[in-house]
Amino acid sequence: MTAEISETPAIEVESWRDKKRYLWLMGLIVPTALFVILPLVWALNQLGWHAAAQVPFWIGPILVYAVLPLLDWRYGPDGQNPPDALVERLENDKYYRYCTYAFIPFQYATVIFGAYLFTASDLSWLGFDGSLGWPAKIGLALSVGMVGGVGINTAHEMGHKKASLERWLSKITLAQTCYGHFYIEHNRGHHVRVATPEDPASARFGETFWEFLPRSVWGSLKSSWELEAQRMRRLNRSPWHPSNDVLNAWVMSVVLYGALFAVFGVALIPYVVISAVFGFALLETVNYLEHYGLLRQKTASGRYERCAPEHSWNSDHLVTNLFLYHLQRHSDHHANPTRRYQTLRSMEGAPNLPSGYASMIALTYFPPLWRKIMDHRVLEHYNDDITRVNIHPRMRNKVLAKYGVDA
């Protein structure tokens, strides 16, 4: 852990360097992956391995479910925190924000190029006899969806900032997944209600991911609309006013996909549905694991205690942090929402996942396995006091009875 400013030797501060400075460019692997695989696809077709040539189009799921977990296992936790005395200098270094800005043009190049590949009837230049087969098309749509899912995280980084440019870039990035309302709900809803039963994006103990997904998707959408409608009323405007940030964000999605349908036709519908749903579902898997079972206690006044490091699951695994702009240092993010990713710290008192987010995502799909790995960690975090846990209502009586507590 980083020492306090007064305890940090001046020579240590002066010599400190961000070892990850240029590694942050690895975040661009995701939105450029579709272009990188093309020579491999062509080569496999030239060798006559036409079935194998469809596999690279699954690069998105391969990265998420195989490559990143293996790299997290290989390289392990990061362990480097910036000295407090250098935080301001790092915050003002514009190189780091340019790394996130660069994601957007590659993201939309991928979306457009993916639409072309999905609908093209002649891909002889790639070695295919006609169009892509459905195995390749599904992999392509999922891979583009993965770009959108990681794009939501990029939008998350920019959407917390005060500059209007970054806030608009956040909404532009969210347009691909039709999740523009996330910009409102996350900042003004989730950060207020995090780790409470009232937050749709905080998973409850015993709640499966498949129960959480519709609750979070619908609850976040509903909350975002209510928050913006309230803001519009305070401004004496109709909720349908163009300045409603939920509406203007959704309009971006309509314009984007309206243009793509105009160019590529209705054959693009499966591509849009698969990529958008997979993209926002990736976000929701991360939402699910970030606060699973954690609960802010109520004070004597009946209000919830302030959000603390103990209310977010963290991971300091290096590789996934590079791809997700330190999202795994989630406790510091909730403590300092406007802090830029390069200065987020691994905090004492925060509960830690057994591996990086990428490794944990696949586990969320299998509730028995997830609960075997995570439920005992939740209880250990609260010293086996089940009454301090955010329990899913469906499970409440059963769980309390199991631990000998009256409902």
Side-chain angles (χ1 to χ4, degrees):
M1 287 297 143
T2 304
E4 296 297 326
I5 296 176
S6 60
E7 298 174 358
T8 305
I11 189 169
E12 179 184 331
V13 171
E14 193 62 33
S15 63
W16 188 90
R17 296 292 181 270
D18 181 8
K19 297 176 182 177
K20 302 189 289 291
R21 181 176 177 86
Y22 298 108
L23 292 178
W24 292 115
L25 293 172
M26 289 174 62
L28 298 180
I29 290 174
V30 169
T32 59
L34 181 60
F35 298 97
V36 172
I37 64 162
L38 294 179
L40 176 59
V41 172
W42 179 85
L44 291 171
N45 276 323
Q46 295 307 304
L47 292 170
W49 299 348
H50 301 299
Q54 300 187 71
V55 174
F57 289 105
W58 289 76
I59 184 63
I62 290 169
L63 277 173
V64 170
Y65 300 120
V67 175
L68 288 181
L70 286 173
L71 290 175
D72 271 342
W73 173 79
R74 169 63 179 81
Y75 292 100
D78 178 358
Q80 186 191 45
N81 275 349
D84 290 340
L86 294 182
V87 166
E88 183 177 0
R89 189 171 81 186
L90 278 172
E91 285 272 324
N92 293 328
D93 188 338
K94 293 186 177 180
Y95 162 81
Y96 293 96
R97 67 191 72 177
Y98 295 152
C99 288
T100 58
Y101 297 174
F103 187 99
I104 303 172
F106 289 117
Q107 173 190 5
Y108 280 99
T110 293
V111 171
I112 296 167
F113 186 60
Y116 157 72
L117 291 175
F118 194 90
T119 57
S121 58
D122 180 10
L123 289 174
S124 56
W125 63 275
L126 266 180
F128 290 105
D129 183 15
S131 61
L132 291 180
W134 274 103
K137 285 186 175 183
I138 293 172
L140 170 65
L142 291 173
S143 294
V144 174
M146 185 269 295
V147 174
V150 177
I152 295 176
N153 178 63
T154 308
H156 166 260
E157 168 63 25
M158 293 184 288
H160 272 292
K161 304 306 176 282
K162 297 177 181 178
S164 60
L165 170 64
E166 289 182 275
R167 292 180 174 232
W168 276 101
L169 289 176
S170 175
K171 288 191 281 187
I172 291 170
T173 308
L174 292 167
Q176 179 195 342
T177 48
C178 305
Y179 235 55
H181 57 279
F182 172 83
Y183 165 81
I184 296 299
E185 163 55 20
H186 181 81
N187 289 15
R188 287 158 45 196
H190 174 65
H191 271 262
V192 173
R193 299 181 297 235
V194 62
T196 71
E198 291 76 25
D199 180 30
S202 293
R204 301 157 178 172
F205 186 88
E207 181 178 30
T208 70
F209 170 69
W210 305 109
E211 292 173 301
F212 171 81
L213 179 61
R215 181 173 74 85
S216 184
V217 170
W218 172 248
S220 297
L221 192 156
K222 180 174 178 287
S223 174
S224 66
W225 180 259
E226 290 171 350
L227 288 167
E228 269 301 270
Q230 290 171 8
R231 186 175 75 89
M232 291 294 98
R233 283 192 290 270
R234 287 196 299 270
L235 296 173
N236 294 318
R237 295 174 182 170
S238 164
W240 300 96
H241 192 276
S243 62
N244 181 318
D245 281 328
V246 172
L247 283 180
N248 57 51
W250 286 346
V251 166
M252 291 182 185
S253 297
V254 172
V255 170
L256 168 65
Y257 286 115
L260 289 179
F261 282 131
V263 174
F264 299 105
V266 295
L268 199 64
I269 290 175
Y271 169 85
V272 171
V273 172
I274 293 171
S275 61
V277 171
F278 185 60
F280 71 67
L282 277 177
L283 161 75
E284 297 298 353
T285 58
V286 173
N287 279 340
Y288 178 78
L289 60 86
E290 283 177 333
H291 305 284
Y292 177 77
L294 303 180
L295 179 66
R296 287 156 58 195
Q297 308 301 311
K298 286 191 174 180
T299 64
S301 67
R303 299 173 64 89
Y304 287 107
E305 64 184 329
R306 290 177 63 87
C307 185
E310 66 186 57
H311 298 126
S312 301
W313 289 102
N314 291 252
S315 172
D316 204 26
H317 281 71
L318 174 64
V319 178
T320 299
N321 262 335
L322 290 170
F323 275 76
L324 296 182
Y325 304 116
H326 269 161
L327 179 66
Q328 299 177 130
R329 294 184 170 185
H330 208 59
S331 289
D332 196 11
H333 168 66
H334 272 279
N336 303 281
T338 61
R339 176 168 283 173
R340 295 187 180 275
Y341 69 91
Q342 66 269 22
T343 59
L344 290 174
R345 302 157 298 174
S346 183
M347 301 182 75
E348 290 185 3
N352 279 281
L353 296 168
S355 189
Y357 281 12
S359 306
M360 303 299 292
I361 283 174
L363 295 180
T364 67
Y365 304 151
F366 304 98
L369 185 57
W370 170 263
R371 294 198 62 193
K372 182 177 181 180
I373 291 173
M374 287 302 300
D375 281 10
H376 72 90
R377 286 182 163 85
V378 174
L379 290 170
E380 289 166 6
H381 178 59
Y382 288 116
N383 297 316
D384 291 327
D385 184 354
I386 192 64
T387 64
R388 299 177 63 197
V389 175
N390 185 7
I391 305 173
H392 187 44
R394 175 180 59 79
M395 300 286 293
R396 187 167 188 81
N397 291 341
K398 181 179 179 180
V399 169
L400 292 178
K402 179 180 178 181
Y403 291 91
V405 178
D406 292 332

